[in-house]
Amino acid sequence: MTALLTITKTEAKLFAREPVALFFGLVFPSLLLLVIGAVVPGAREPNPDLGGLRFVDLYAPSVIAFSLVTLGVSILPTVLVTYRERGYLRRLATTPLGPSRLVLVQLLVHAGVAVVATLGALVVGRLAFGIPLPASPLAFALALALGMLSLFGIGMLVAALASTSASAQGLSMLVYFPLLFFAGVYFPLEGMSGPLRTLADLLPSGAVVAGLSAAMRGTALEARDLLVMAAYAVVFTFLAVRTFRWE
């Protein structure tokens, strides 16, 4: 346990020294919410077409999803593949610590950053625009946890399939931008209809936004959203574990 705690602290410090990862995973979501609320015309005005809600209220879950997708699908696999490329995982296989614990630590560090980024977005939204805090905190935490598991599972599979850090970045980008689109980062989910909205409902990024939005309003989480996130978490994590290479 002491060794695991030590390596967790070390990996957290290493993450904090990566300015690009730290900015886009931790800072940018809150900054994006500030920009949208301050710049987009009518973003802070109640909209009858949105059920009386404001665009900035609906956008808050999307910036949280942005953090989860960025950390889980873009940053995490690149770190793991780089460690494998440099032989760190192979060397750990000869120690009592084992390479699997380093992978676990990376998941914990990225999850911790995601939680901090989420809290930051909630606080910034509340202070800057009066966005209500989640009316159902437990449901919010459940949607956030399932969203993390599903998106981190995708990132783990990317890390398992990629042979180099460059290929990991390429593979992650193939799913990164579509996941952001269907999280409502570029275009609000409420404006999607037909096949686009159906596809958003079937992807983990769209499901986590729907779940977070429901929890923030205090309405019940849809079973469909929970099932989608759980299915992605189980299937992609299983595939990642079966195909992951330590060297």
Side-chain angles (χ1 to χ4, degrees), residues 55-227:
F55 178 72
V56 72
D57 297 324
L58 298 174
Y59 201 69
S62 292
V63 302
I64 294 172
F66 176 93
S67 176
L68 300 185
V69 174
T70 299
L71 289 165
V73 178
S74 177
I75 299 174
L76 175 63
T78 302
V79 172
L80 291 178
V81 174
T82 299
Y83 278 10
R84 183 172 62 214
E85 221 177 353
R86 294 177 178 175
Y88 296 165
L89 300 182
R90 184 183 68 250
R91 289 185 212 127
L92 280 173
T94 64
T95 70
L97 182 64
S100 60
R101 292 193 183 183
L102 180 60
V103 174
L104 173 61
V105 165
Q106 282 298 324
L107 291 170
L108 291 175
V109 168
H110 284 73
V113 175
V115 170
V116 175
T118 298
L119 294 175
L122 292 175
V123 171
V124 166
R126 179 65 178 171
L127 295 178
F129 308 118
I131 298 175
L133 295 176
S136 301
L138 291 179
F140 186 90
L142 175 61
L144 183 68
L146 283 175
M148 262 191 277
L149 289 172
S150 60
L151 293 165
F152 284 22
I154 294 174
M156 287 291 295
L157 183 58
V158 170
L161 297 176
S163 55
T164 65
S165 56
S167 63
Q169 292 173 358
L171 283 174
S172 65
M173 289 302 103
L174 289 176
V175 292
Y176 178 71
F177 291 108
L179 286 173
L180 290 185
F181 177 82
F182 288 108
V185 173
Y186 307 124
F187 185 78
L189 291 182
E190 287 69 21
M192 295 182 186
S193 60
L196 280 181
R197 186 55 197 256
T198 300
L199 186 53
D201 292 337
L202 295 176
L203 290 174
S205 55
V208 71
V209 170
L212 295 176
S213 299
M216 291 187 76
R217 295 192 297 268
T219 58
L221 301 182
E222 292 283 345
R224 177 200 61 212
D225 298 325
L226 298 177
L227 287 173

